[in-house]
């Protein structure tokens, strides 16, 4: 087992920052994102910070415990927290972690802004998955798993390419996006 220490914590922070930076650059230049009518230059992946938490507190139908994420980050140095912004509007939040695995990263929470319309409506999950994929590849994880998916969204994830593995987990290859 690898020793935890300041060097490891710093390496984890660098990997998370690099993942956000790479996905921001990719989205900014992506013809696929432009083809969806999204201005990639207005899209930014940032850490979940107090401003994002304050905004999510006001979401009418917020389903997840986003206020717990800062505590999780302290206990889980490899956990990736993502706030997806379009200009000044928070459009989604995500928390993913390899949880001591070298092969699999799990999306623990993923939620889009619950309003009927926002600039990234219908694109939050694919964009978040793109960011998690980048981080998974930096960690050399092979699989992305949706941890305990809500029954109502399983078909949606399957439409994005996820499948149930032999253990009954909803997964996709980290190389497949």
């Amino acid at each position: 087992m690898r020793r935890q220490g300041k060097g490891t914590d710093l390496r984890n922070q660098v990997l998370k920052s690099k993942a956000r930076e790479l996905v921001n650059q990719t989205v900014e230049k992506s013809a696929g994102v432009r083809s969806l009518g999204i201005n990639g230059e207005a899209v930014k992946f940032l850490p979940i910070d107090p401003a994002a938490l304050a905004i999510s507190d006001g979401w009418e139908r917020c389903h997840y415990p986003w206020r717990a994420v800062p505590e999780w980050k302290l206990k889980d140095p490899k956990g990736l927290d993502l706030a997806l912004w379009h200009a000044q509007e928070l459009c989604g939040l995500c928390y993913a972690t390899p949880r001591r695995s070298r092969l699999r990263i799990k999306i623990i929470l993923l939620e889009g802004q619950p309003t009927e319309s926002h600039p990234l409506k219908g694109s939050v999950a694919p964009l978040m998955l793109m960011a998690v994929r980048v981080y998974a590849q930096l960690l050399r994880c092979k699989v992305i798993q949706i941890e305990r998916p809500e029954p109502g969204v399983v078909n949606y994830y399957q439409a994005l390419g996820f499948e149930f593995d032999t253990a009954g987990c909803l997964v996709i290859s980290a190389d497949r996006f």
Side-chain angles (χ1 to χ4, degrees), residues 7 30 41 60-61 72 74 78-79 97 106 145-146 176:
S30 171
E41 293 178 5
E60 191 172 302
R61 296 180 310 269
W72 294 354
L74 291 174
K78 285 189 178 180
T97 179
K106 297 177 182 179
Q145 175 182 330
I146 304 297
R176 185 177 172 210

Side-chain angles (χ1 to χ4, degrees), residues 9-21:
D9 290 344
L10 178 59
R11 183 173 51 249
N12 291 333
Q13 287 299 324
V14 168
L15 287 174
K16 290 186 276 191
S17 293
K18 185 172 184 169
R20 288 186 198 101
E21 180 183 330

Side-chain angles (χ1 to χ4, degrees), residues 63-117:
H63 295 285
Y64 298 114
W66 295 109
R67 284 276 168 195
V69 169
E71 185 179 323
W72 294 354
K73 289 174 13 178
L74 291 174
K75 294 177 183 177
D76 183 12
K78 285 189 178 180
L80 176 67
D81 57 310
L82 297 165
L84 178 60
W85 295 85
H86 185 277
Q88 302 299 314
E89 188 167 359
L90 178 65
C91 296
L93 297 168
C94 179
Y95 186 79
T97 179
R99 281 203 184 141
R100 292 180 237 126
S101 173
R102 293 179 185 228
L103 301 176
R104 183 175 295 235
I105 188 166
K106 297 177 182 179
I107 296 176
I108 307 300
L109 304 175
L110 192 160
E111 185 170 20
Q113 182 193 120
T115 60
E116 290 304 315
S117 66

Side-chain angles (χ1 to χ4, degrees), residues 15-27 45 134:
L15 287 174
K16 290 186 276 191
S17 293
K18 185 172 184 169
R20 288 186 198 101
E21 180 183 330
L22 288 171
V23 77
N24 281 328
Q25 290 171 358
T26 300
V27 168
F45 290 87
V134 168

